[in-house]
Amino acid sequence: MKKILVHFLSVFAFHSFAFSQIDSSSYKKVMLLAESIKDSYHMDKRTSVFDLSMDSLGSYILEYTNKEAAHDFVIQYKKEGISAPLQICGLPDESLGDKVYGLVTVSVGNIRSQPRNSAEMVTQALLGWPVDLLKQQKGYYLVRTPDGYISWLDAAAVSLKSRAEIREWGQGKRIIFTDDYGHAYEAPDRSAMRVSDLVMGNILNVLEKGQLFSKVVFPDGRVAYVSNEQTEDYDQWKSNTHLTAENLFVIAKRMIGVPYLWGGTSIKGVDCSGFTKTAYLMNGVVIPRDASQQVLVGEPIEILTNNKLDTAKALKNLQAGDLLFFAAGKHKSPQARVTHVALYMGNGQFIQSAGKVRINSMLPSAPNYDDFQTRTVVAARRYLGHIGEIGLKKVE
């Protein structure tokens, strides 16, 4: 036992010495090179993976989703004459085989910043919607949602699919749940045992349509019955969605009173950008996930004078359906990061998720005036008329 311990300590000491030698000579150079590549490609960790790490033997490991960026990194790595071995790991990970797609199997899949239950929830994905699978770790999958967001989904909440299987799901006869809340049942009877809860935006494949209920199949193979009164044919819903301010407000107002939930993007609970995202999604449009991403797309609208909200200018230039953006740290820095978004309704009113979904006004004379949010307005964007441009795509 003593010999084994001595051997372990010797190996550990050798590895520690090797790491310290590499750390002192090249670690900083390699990390700066990685940061330089990230900056040149304008990478956002929410939508790209470009992670560099070092193993115990002093070899560097690069995981990436951007092939061009990885190629440039390798070229620069060689030019710098760095002697440490470099392992390149593109995602999706080879261990996934052909199962590089997934379908969410629960009404709302909670997606987290790290592969553990206690990690921060950063976004959500709805039942029946596809995700790209990138790798597996600790009972979680690193997934990419339809809006490009990359984070960790519990393996129990996703059904793995091959390209052929995901295509088969998409070509099947589908329905979308358009009511706020509901359930799927074991039999065509509301008093029957429940199979799952359902929320607005959930998608299921239809096996057989009855007079009152449709027999459906979940992505993981479960069979159930769903009330026809609460659903629409998916293809008809998609072709009938017309993005107008009025239609946005139909969905937005249905969420009034829904509690604020950090990372929430469903009617069970929404954060500020999850609220605007859901309003657009149920009108057939996928927009970026976070407020700081949403402010980068669409048409800029002038509402400021000398870096402050100009109410008269805002009332003149804004149109119903525009998005208002806020920065909580605006009083500290003119370049403060956007942290909040709201949907403009017209006449100075906007609807937002702040504590709960509610309607407020930027007009001091209004009874629902929101002084804090009005003082921190930093930008406005128009999406209507710009669908199909970068970051604003129709549901496929």
PDB file of all heavy atoms in Angstrom, residues 58-92:
ATOM      1  N   GLY A  58      -0.773  18.154 -19.690  1.00  0.00           N
ATOM      2  CA  GLY A  58      -0.339  19.379 -20.336  1.00  0.00           C
ATOM      3  C   GLY A  58      -0.767  19.524 -21.776  1.00  0.00           C
ATOM      4  O   GLY A  58      -0.273  20.405 -22.483  1.00  0.00           O
ATOM      5  N   SER A  59      -1.673  18.670 -22.242  1.00  0.00           N
ATOM      6  CA  SER A  59      -2.201  18.787 -23.601  1.00  0.00           C
ATOM      7  C   SER A  59      -3.408  19.724 -23.592  1.00  0.00           C
ATOM      8  O   SER A  59      -4.231  19.679 -22.662  1.00  0.00           O
ATOM      9  CB  SER A  59      -2.615  17.417 -24.137  1.00  0.00           C
ATOM     10  OG  SER A  59      -1.504  16.563 -24.253  1.00  0.00           O
ATOM     11  N   TYR A  60      -3.551  20.525 -24.631  1.00  0.00           N
ATOM     12  CA  TYR A  60      -4.701  21.419 -24.758  1.00  0.00           C
ATOM     13  C   TYR A  60      -5.823  20.703 -25.509  1.00  0.00           C
ATOM     14  O   TYR A  60      -5.583  19.916 -26.434  1.00  0.00           O
ATOM     15  CB  TYR A  60      -4.319  22.693 -25.507  1.00  0.00           C
ATOM     16  CG  TYR A  60      -3.393  23.588 -24.713  1.00  0.00           C
ATOM     17  CD1 TYR A  60      -2.024  23.621 -24.980  1.00  0.00           C
ATOM     18  CD2 TYR A  60      -3.885  24.394 -23.691  1.00  0.00           C
ATOM     19  CE1 TYR A  60      -1.175  24.448 -24.252  1.00  0.00           C
ATOM     20  CE2 TYR A  60      -3.043  25.203 -22.954  1.00  0.00           C
ATOM     21  CZ  TYR A  60      -1.690  25.224 -23.238  1.00  0.00           C
ATOM     22  OH  TYR A  60      -0.864  26.022 -22.506  1.00  0.00           O
ATOM     23  N   ILE A  61      -7.046  20.984 -25.097  1.00  0.00           N
ATOM     24  CA  ILE A  61      -8.229  20.393 -25.728  1.00  0.00           C
ATOM     25  C   ILE A  61      -9.154  21.524 -26.142  1.00  0.00           C
ATOM     26  O   ILE A  61      -9.543  22.354 -25.316  1.00  0.00           O
ATOM     27  CB  ILE A  61      -8.965  19.443 -24.758  1.00  0.00           C
ATOM     28  CG1 ILE A  61      -8.023  18.330 -24.278  1.00  0.00           C
ATOM     29  CG2 ILE A  61     -10.194  18.842 -25.437  1.00  0.00           C
ATOM     30  CD1 ILE A  61      -8.593  17.504 -23.145  1.00  0.00           C
ATOM     31  N   LEU A  62      -9.499  21.579 -27.423  1.00  0.00           N
ATOM     32  CA  LEU A  62     -10.403  22.606 -27.942  1.00  0.00           C
ATOM     33  C   LEU A  62     -11.708  21.969 -28.382  1.00  0.00           C
ATOM     34  O   LEU A  62     -11.723  21.098 -29.255  1.00  0.00           O
ATOM     35  CB  LEU A  62      -9.769  23.340 -29.122  1.00  0.00           C
ATOM     36  CG  LEU A  62     -10.664  24.379 -29.807  1.00  0.00           C
ATOM     37  CD1 LEU A  62     -10.946  25.550 -28.865  1.00  0.00           C
ATOM     38  CD2 LEU A  62     -10.047  24.870 -31.112  1.00  0.00           C
ATOM     39  N   GLU A  63     -12.817  22.391 -27.759  1.00  0.00           N
ATOM     40  CA  GLU A  63     -14.155  21.993 -28.196  1.00  0.00           C
ATOM     41  C   GLU A  63     -14.767  23.164 -28.939  1.00  0.00           C
ATOM     42  O   GLU A  63     -14.699  24.298 -28.474  1.00  0.00           O
ATOM     43  CB  GLU A  63     -15.036  21.633 -26.994  1.00  0.00           C
ATOM     44  CG  GLU A  63     -14.808  20.238 -26.464  1.00  0.00           C
ATOM     45  CD  GLU A  63     -15.887  19.832 -25.471  1.00  0.00           C
ATOM     46  OE1 GLU A  63     -16.424  20.728 -24.791  1.00  0.00           O
ATOM     47  OE2 GLU A  63     -16.181  18.643 -25.379  1.00  0.00           O
ATOM     48  N   TYR A  64     -15.425  22.896 -30.062  1.00  0.00           N
ATOM     49  CA  TYR A  64     -15.908  24.009 -30.870  1.00  0.00           C
ATOM     50  C   TYR A  64     -17.151  23.623 -31.669  1.00  0.00           C
ATOM     51  O   TYR A  64     -17.411  22.442 -31.919  1.00  0.00           O
ATOM     52  CB  TYR A  64     -14.813  24.469 -31.839  1.00  0.00           C
ATOM     53  CG  TYR A  64     -14.444  23.418 -32.873  1.00  0.00           C
ATOM     54  CD1 TYR A  64     -15.092  23.350 -34.104  1.00  0.00           C
ATOM     55  CD2 TYR A  64     -13.449  22.471 -32.613  1.00  0.00           C
ATOM     56  CE1 TYR A  64     -14.781  22.376 -35.036  1.00  0.00           C
ATOM     57  CE2 TYR A  64     -13.124  21.505 -33.542  1.00  0.00           C
ATOM     58  CZ  TYR A  64     -13.788  21.460 -34.758  1.00  0.00           C
ATOM     59  OH  TYR A  64     -13.477  20.490 -35.679  1.00  0.00           O
ATOM     60  N   THR A  65     -17.899  24.631 -32.069  1.00  0.00           N
ATOM     61  CA  THR A  65     -19.004  24.461 -33.013  1.00  0.00           C
ATOM     62  C   THR A  65     -18.747  25.216 -34.317  1.00  0.00           C
ATOM     63  O   THR A  65     -19.437  24.988 -35.299  1.00  0.00           O
ATOM     64  CB  THR A  65     -20.328  24.971 -32.401  1.00  0.00           C
ATOM     65  OG1 THR A  65     -20.159  26.312 -31.927  1.00  0.00           O
ATOM     66  CG2 THR A  65     -20.787  24.083 -31.266  1.00  0.00           C
ATOM     67  N   ASN A  66     -17.768  26.117 -34.310  1.00  0.00           N
ATOM     68  CA  ASN A  66     -17.448  26.911 -35.498  1.00  0.00           C
ATOM     69  C   ASN A  66     -16.179  26.355 -36.146  1.00  0.00           C
ATOM     70  O   ASN A  66     -15.074  26.547 -35.641  1.00  0.00           O
ATOM     71  CB  ASN A  66     -17.256  28.380 -35.101  1.00  0.00           C
ATOM     72  CG  ASN A  66     -17.091  29.288 -36.305  1.00  0.00           C
ATOM     73  OD1 ASN A  66     -16.347  28.995 -37.231  1.00  0.00           O
ATOM     74  ND2 ASN A  66     -17.786  30.427 -36.276  1.00  0.00           N
ATOM     75  N   LYS A  67     -16.344  25.659 -37.262  1.00  0.00           N
ATOM     76  CA  LYS A  67     -15.207  25.001 -37.909  1.00  0.00           C
ATOM     77  C   LYS A  67     -14.171  26.007 -38.404  1.00  0.00           C
ATOM     78  O   LYS A  67     -12.965  25.772 -38.295  1.00  0.00           O
ATOM     79  CB  LYS A  67     -15.703  24.156 -39.084  1.00  0.00           C
ATOM     80  CG  LYS A  67     -16.527  22.948 -38.682  1.00  0.00           C
ATOM     81  CD  LYS A  67     -16.950  22.149 -39.909  1.00  0.00           C
ATOM     82  CE  LYS A  67     -17.791  20.937 -39.520  1.00  0.00           C
ATOM     83  NZ  LYS A  67     -18.215  20.167 -40.712  1.00  0.00           N
ATOM     84  N   GLU A  68     -14.635  27.119 -38.969  1.00  0.00           N
ATOM     85  CA  GLU A  68     -13.708  28.109 -39.501  1.00  0.00           C
ATOM     86  C   GLU A  68     -12.837  28.693 -38.389  1.00  0.00           C
ATOM     87  O   GLU A  68     -11.622  28.879 -38.557  1.00  0.00           O
ATOM     88  CB  GLU A  68     -14.466  29.225 -40.223  1.00  0.00           C
ATOM     89  CG  GLU A  68     -15.151  28.797 -41.506  1.00  0.00           C
ATOM     90  CD  GLU A  68     -16.435  28.032 -41.280  1.00  0.00           C
ATOM     91  OE1 GLU A  68     -16.925  28.030 -40.118  1.00  0.00           O
ATOM     92  OE2 GLU A  68     -16.955  27.436 -42.238  1.00  0.00           O
ATOM     93  N   ALA A  69     -13.472  28.982 -37.251  1.00  0.00           N
ATOM     94  CA  ALA A  69     -12.718  29.533 -36.123  1.00  0.00           C
ATOM     95  C   ALA A  69     -11.688  28.527 -35.616  1.00  0.00           C
ATOM     96  O   ALA A  69     -10.550  28.886 -35.292  1.00  0.00           O
ATOM     97  CB  ALA A  69     -13.670  29.933 -35.005  1.00  0.00           C
ATOM     98  N   ALA A  70     -12.076  27.253 -35.528  1.00  0.00           N
ATOM     99  CA  ALA A  70     -11.143  26.218 -35.072  1.00  0.00           C
ATOM    100  C   ALA A  70      -9.980  26.079 -36.048  1.00  0.00           C
ATOM    101  O   ALA A  70      -8.824  25.914 -35.630  1.00  0.00           O
ATOM    102  CB  ALA A  70     -11.885  24.890 -34.924  1.00  0.00           C
ATOM    103  N   HIS A  71     -10.273  26.154 -37.333  1.00  0.00           N
ATOM    104  CA  HIS A  71      -9.220  26.058 -38.354  1.00  0.00           C
ATOM    105  C   HIS A  71      -8.221  27.202 -38.196  1.00  0.00           C
ATOM    106  O   HIS A  71      -6.997  26.985 -38.228  1.00  0.00           O
ATOM    107  CB  HIS A  71      -9.851  26.083 -39.741  1.00  0.00           C
ATOM    108  CG  HIS A  71      -8.863  26.041 -40.864  1.00  0.00           C
ATOM    109  ND1 HIS A  71      -8.141  24.916 -41.183  1.00  0.00           N
ATOM    110  CD2 HIS A  71      -8.472  27.010 -41.745  1.00  0.00           C
ATOM    111  CE1 HIS A  71      -7.342  25.174 -42.204  1.00  0.00           C
ATOM    112  NE2 HIS A  71      -7.525  26.433 -42.560  1.00  0.00           N
ATOM    113  N   ASP A  72      -8.729  28.414 -38.016  1.00  0.00           N
ATOM    114  CA  ASP A  72      -7.847  29.567 -37.825  1.00  0.00           C
ATOM    115  C   ASP A  72      -7.006  29.422 -36.554  1.00  0.00           C
ATOM    116  O   ASP A  72      -5.828  29.806 -36.519  1.00  0.00           O
ATOM    117  CB  ASP A  72      -8.669  30.853 -37.756  1.00  0.00           C
ATOM    118  CG  ASP A  72      -9.153  31.284 -39.127  1.00  0.00           C
ATOM    119  OD1 ASP A  72      -8.778  30.641 -40.124  1.00  0.00           O
ATOM    120  OD2 ASP A  72      -9.911  32.269 -39.204  1.00  0.00           O
ATOM    121  N   PHE A  73      -7.626  28.883 -35.500  1.00  0.00           N
ATOM    122  CA  PHE A  73      -6.900  28.692 -34.231  1.00  0.00           C
ATOM    123  C   PHE A  73      -5.722  27.740 -34.423  1.00  0.00           C
ATOM    124  O   PHE A  73      -4.606  28.001 -33.947  1.00  0.00           O
ATOM    125  CB  PHE A  73      -7.838  28.162 -33.155  1.00  0.00           C
ATOM    126  CG  PHE A  73      -7.169  27.916 -31.836  1.00  0.00           C
ATOM    127  CD1 PHE A  73      -6.947  28.951 -30.949  1.00  0.00           C
ATOM    128  CD2 PHE A  73      -6.743  26.638 -31.489  1.00  0.00           C
ATOM    129  CE1 PHE A  73      -6.310  28.731 -29.734  1.00  0.00           C
ATOM    130  CE2 PHE A  73      -6.114  26.404 -30.280  1.00  0.00           C
ATOM    131  CZ  PHE A  73      -5.899  27.450 -29.398  1.00  0.00           C
ATOM    132  N   VAL A  74      -5.959  26.634 -35.133  1.00  0.00           N
ATOM    133  CA  VAL A  74      -4.902  25.647 -35.366  1.00  0.00           C
ATOM    134  C   VAL A  74      -3.743  26.270 -36.145  1.00  0.00           C
ATOM    135  O   VAL A  74      -2.567  26.053 -35.825  1.00  0.00           O
ATOM    136  CB  VAL A  74      -5.460  24.422 -36.108  1.00  0.00           C
ATOM    137  CG1 VAL A  74      -4.331  23.492 -36.531  1.00  0.00           C
ATOM    138  CG2 VAL A  74      -6.446  23.668 -35.226  1.00  0.00           C
ATOM    139  N   ILE A  75      -4.074  27.060 -37.157  1.00  0.00           N
ATOM    140  CA  ILE A  75      -3.034  27.715 -37.959  1.00  0.00           C
ATOM    141  C   ILE A  75      -2.195  28.646 -37.085  1.00  0.00           C
ATOM    142  O   ILE A  75      -0.951  28.618 -37.126  1.00  0.00           O
ATOM    143  CB  ILE A  75      -3.670  28.499 -39.126  1.00  0.00           C
ATOM    144  CG1 ILE A  75      -4.271  27.525 -40.145  1.00  0.00           C
ATOM    145  CG2 ILE A  75      -2.634  29.399 -39.802  1.00  0.00           C
ATOM    146  CD1 ILE A  75      -5.027  28.210 -41.268  1.00  0.00           C
ATOM    147  N   GLN A  76      -2.853  29.469 -36.273  1.00  0.00           N
ATOM    148  CA  GLN A  76      -2.138  30.401 -35.409  1.00  0.00           C
ATOM    149  C   GLN A  76      -1.357  29.672 -34.322  1.00  0.00           C
ATOM    150  O   GLN A  76      -0.247  30.086 -33.941  1.00  0.00           O
ATOM    151  CB  GLN A  76      -3.135  31.384 -34.765  1.00  0.00           C
ATOM    152  CG  GLN A  76      -3.810  32.321 -35.748  1.00  0.00           C
ATOM    153  CD  GLN A  76      -2.801  33.200 -36.467  1.00  0.00           C
ATOM    154  OE1 GLN A  76      -1.823  33.691 -35.877  1.00  0.00           O
ATOM    155  NE2 GLN A  76      -3.021  33.405 -37.755  1.00  0.00           N
ATOM    156  N   TYR A  77      -1.908  28.574 -33.833  1.00  0.00           N
ATOM    157  CA  TYR A  77      -1.243  27.747 -32.812  1.00  0.00           C
ATOM    158  C   TYR A  77       0.098  27.248 -33.334  1.00  0.00           C
ATOM    159  O   TYR A  77       1.120  27.290 -32.639  1.00  0.00           O
ATOM    160  CB  TYR A  77      -2.166  26.572 -32.468  1.00  0.00           C
ATOM    161  CG  TYR A  77      -1.777  25.765 -31.251  1.00  0.00           C
ATOM    162  CD1 TYR A  77      -2.251  26.104 -29.999  1.00  0.00           C
ATOM    163  CD2 TYR A  77      -0.959  24.638 -31.370  1.00  0.00           C
ATOM    164  CE1 TYR A  77      -1.926  25.356 -28.882  1.00  0.00           C
ATOM    165  CE2 TYR A  77      -0.623  23.877 -30.262  1.00  0.00           C
ATOM    166  CZ  TYR A  77      -1.111  24.251 -29.015  1.00  0.00           C
ATOM    167  OH  TYR A  77      -0.777  23.507 -27.910  1.00  0.00           O
ATOM    168  N   LYS A  78       0.090  26.786 -34.582  1.00  0.00           N
ATOM    169  CA  LYS A  78       1.325  26.287 -35.190  1.00  0.00           C
ATOM    170  C   LYS A  78       2.307  27.432 -35.450  1.00  0.00           C
ATOM    171  O   LYS A  78       3.517  27.285 -35.244  1.00  0.00           O
ATOM    172  CB  LYS A  78       1.003  25.554 -36.482  1.00  0.00           C
ATOM    173  CG  LYS A  78       0.252  24.245 -36.275  1.00  0.00           C
ATOM    174  CD  LYS A  78      -0.081  23.577 -37.599  1.00  0.00           C
ATOM    175  CE  LYS A  78      -0.805  22.247 -37.374  1.00  0.00           C
ATOM    176  NZ  LYS A  78      -1.181  21.606 -38.659  1.00  0.00           N
ATOM    177  N   LYS A  79       1.778  28.576 -35.899  1.00  0.00           N
ATOM    178  CA  LYS A  79       2.644  29.725 -36.174  1.00  0.00           C
ATOM    179  C   LYS A  79       3.360  30.207 -34.918  1.00  0.00           C
ATOM    180  O   LYS A  79       4.507  30.669 -34.972  1.00  0.00           O
ATOM    181  CB  LYS A  79       1.823  30.875 -36.775  1.00  0.00           C
ATOM    182  CG  LYS A  79       1.484  30.707 -38.247  1.00  0.00           C
ATOM    183  CD  LYS A  79       0.765  31.942 -38.769  1.00  0.00           C
ATOM    184  CE  LYS A  79       0.471  31.813 -40.253  1.00  0.00           C
ATOM    185  NZ  LYS A  79      -0.241  33.026 -40.771  1.00  0.00           N
ATOM    186  N   GLU A  80       2.685  30.094 -33.777  1.00  0.00           N
ATOM    187  CA  GLU A  80       3.275  30.531 -32.514  1.00  0.00           C
ATOM    188  C   GLU A  80       4.337  29.561 -32.020  1.00  0.00           C
ATOM    189  O   GLU A  80       5.050  29.844 -31.060  1.00  0.00           O
ATOM    190  CB  GLU A  80       2.188  30.684 -31.448  1.00  0.00           C
ATOM    191  CG  GLU A  80       1.212  31.824 -31.700  1.00  0.00           C
ATOM    192  CD  GLU A  80       1.844  33.183 -31.503  1.00  0.00           C
ATOM    193  OE1 GLU A  80       2.891  33.267 -30.815  1.00  0.00           O
ATOM    194  OE2 GLU A  80       1.324  34.171 -32.050  1.00  0.00           O
ATOM    195  N   GLY A  81       4.434  28.405 -32.665  1.00  0.00           N
ATOM    196  CA  GLY A  81       5.445  27.427 -32.279  1.00  0.00           C
ATOM    197  C   GLY A  81       5.194  26.781 -30.942  1.00  0.00           C
ATOM    198  O   GLY A  81       6.139  26.356 -30.248  1.00  0.00           O
ATOM    199  N   ILE A  82       3.943  26.673 -30.553  1.00  0.00           N
ATOM    200  CA  ILE A  82       3.604  26.067 -29.257  1.00  0.00           C
ATOM    201  C   ILE A  82       3.802  24.558 -29.349  1.00  0.00           C
ATOM    202  O   ILE A  82       3.274  23.897 -30.247  1.00  0.00           O
ATOM    203  CB  ILE A  82       2.147  26.408 -28.877  1.00  0.00           C
ATOM    204  CG1 ILE A  82       1.995  27.937 -28.778  1.00  0.00           C
ATOM    205  CG2 ILE A  82       1.755  25.736 -27.572  1.00  0.00           C
ATOM    206  CD1 ILE A  82       0.571  28.408 -28.706  1.00  0.00           C
ATOM    207  N   SER A  83       4.576  24.006 -28.436  1.00  0.00           N
ATOM    208  CA  SER A  83       4.965  22.594 -28.519  1.00  0.00           C
ATOM    209  C   SER A  83       3.959  21.651 -27.869  1.00  0.00           C
ATOM    210  O   SER A  83       3.956  20.454 -28.175  1.00  0.00           O
ATOM    211  CB  SER A  83       6.341  22.394 -27.867  1.00  0.00           C
ATOM    212  OG  SER A  83       6.313  22.796 -26.497  1.00  0.00           O
ATOM    213  N   ALA A  84       3.132  22.141 -26.986  1.00  0.00           N
ATOM    214  CA  ALA A  84       2.179  21.266 -26.286  1.00  0.00           C
ATOM    215  C   ALA A  84       1.188  20.657 -27.278  1.00  0.00           C
ATOM    216  O   ALA A  84       0.749  21.322 -28.218  1.00  0.00           O
ATOM    217  CB  ALA A  84       1.432  22.061 -25.229  1.00  0.00           C
ATOM    218  N   PRO A  85       0.856  19.365 -27.107  1.00  0.00           N
ATOM    219  CA  PRO A  85      -0.110  18.724 -27.998  1.00  0.00           C
ATOM    220  C   PRO A  85      -1.465  19.435 -27.955  1.00  0.00           C
ATOM    221  O   PRO A  85      -1.862  19.978 -26.921  1.00  0.00           O
ATOM    222  CB  PRO A  85      -0.219  17.305 -27.430  1.00  0.00           C
ATOM    223  CG  PRO A  85       1.027  17.111 -26.643  1.00  0.00           C
ATOM    224  CD  PRO A  85       1.371  18.445 -26.079  1.00  0.00           C
ATOM    225  N   LEU A  86      -2.169  19.427 -29.082  1.00  0.00           N
ATOM    226  CA  LEU A  86      -3.486  20.068 -29.181  1.00  0.00           C
ATOM    227  C   LEU A  86      -4.486  19.058 -29.731  1.00  0.00           C
ATOM    228  O   LEU A  86      -4.278  18.485 -30.803  1.00  0.00           O
ATOM    229  CB  LEU A  86      -3.420  21.285 -30.098  1.00  0.00           C
ATOM    230  CG  LEU A  86      -4.747  21.987 -30.416  1.00  0.00           C
ATOM    231  CD1 LEU A  86      -5.374  22.559 -29.135  1.00  0.00           C
ATOM    232  CD2 LEU A  86      -4.542  23.092 -31.453  1.00  0.00           C
ATOM    233  N   GLN A  87      -5.557  18.830 -28.972  1.00  0.00           N
ATOM    234  CA  GLN A  87      -6.611  17.918 -29.394  1.00  0.00           C
ATOM    235  C   GLN A  87      -7.825  18.726 -29.828  1.00  0.00           C
ATOM    236  O   GLN A  87      -8.315  19.559 -29.068  1.00  0.00           O
ATOM    237  CB  GLN A  87      -6.986  16.967 -28.250  1.00  0.00           C
ATOM    238  CG  GLN A  87      -8.048  15.949 -28.609  1.00  0.00           C
ATOM    239  CD  GLN A  87      -8.380  15.025 -27.451  1.00  0.00           C
ATOM    240  OE1 GLN A  87      -7.679  15.012 -26.434  1.00  0.00           O
ATOM    241  NE2 GLN A  87      -9.459  14.278 -27.588  1.00  0.00           N
ATOM    242  N   ILE A  88      -8.309  18.481 -31.042  1.00  0.00           N
ATOM    243  CA  ILE A  88      -9.443  19.232 -31.597  1.00  0.00           C
ATOM    244  C   ILE A  88     -10.694  18.365 -31.526  1.00  0.00           C
ATOM    245  O   ILE A  88     -10.720  17.242 -32.043  1.00  0.00           O
ATOM    246  CB  ILE A  88      -9.179  19.628 -33.059  1.00  0.00           C
ATOM    247  CG1 ILE A  88      -7.883  20.427 -33.169  1.00  0.00           C
ATOM    248  CG2 ILE A  88     -10.348  20.434 -33.604  1.00  0.00           C
ATOM    249  CD1 ILE A  88      -7.921  21.731 -32.436  1.00  0.00           C
ATOM    250  N   CYS A  89     -11.747  18.870 -30.886  1.00  0.00           N
ATOM    251  CA  CYS A  89     -12.995  18.109 -30.708  1.00  0.00           C
ATOM    252  C   CYS A  89     -14.173  18.927 -31.231  1.00  0.00           C
ATOM    253  O   CYS A  89     -14.670  19.830 -30.548  1.00  0.00           O
ATOM    254  CB  CYS A  89     -13.213  17.766 -29.237  1.00  0.00           C
ATOM    255  SG  CYS A  89     -11.877  16.829 -28.480  1.00  0.00           S
ATOM    256  N   GLY A  90     -14.602  18.632 -32.440  1.00  0.00           N
ATOM    257  CA  GLY A  90     -15.762  19.321 -32.995  1.00  0.00           C
ATOM    258  C   GLY A  90     -17.052  18.779 -32.417  1.00  0.00           C
ATOM    259  O   GLY A  90     -17.142  17.603 -32.039  1.00  0.00           O
ATOM    260  N   LEU A  91     -18.036  19.634 -32.307  1.00  0.00           N
ATOM    261  CA  LEU A  91     -19.360  19.226 -31.839  1.00  0.00           C
ATOM    262  C   LEU A  91     -20.351  19.271 -33.006  1.00  0.00           C
ATOM    263  O   LEU A  91     -20.277  20.169 -33.828  1.00  0.00           O
ATOM    264  CB  LEU A  91     -19.829  20.161 -30.713  1.00  0.00           C
ATOM    265  CG  LEU A  91     -18.943  20.194 -29.459  1.00  0.00           C
ATOM    266  CD1 LEU A  91     -19.494  21.193 -28.444  1.00  0.00           C
ATOM    267  CD2 LEU A  91     -18.820  18.810 -28.833  1.00  0.00           C
ATOM    268  N   PRO A  92     -21.255  18.267 -33.099  1.00  0.00           N
ATOM    269  CA  PRO A  92     -21.606  17.247 -32.114  1.00  0.00           C
ATOM    270  C   PRO A  92     -20.466  16.245 -31.862  1.00  0.00           C
ATOM    271  O   PRO A  92     -19.708  15.930 -32.766  1.00  0.00           O
ATOM    272  CB  PRO A  92     -22.806  16.537 -32.733  1.00  0.00           C
ATOM    273  CG  PRO A  92     -23.307  17.438 -33.801  1.00  0.00           C
ATOM    274  CD  PRO A  92     -22.134  18.199 -34.289  1.00  0.00           C
TER     275      PRO A  92
END
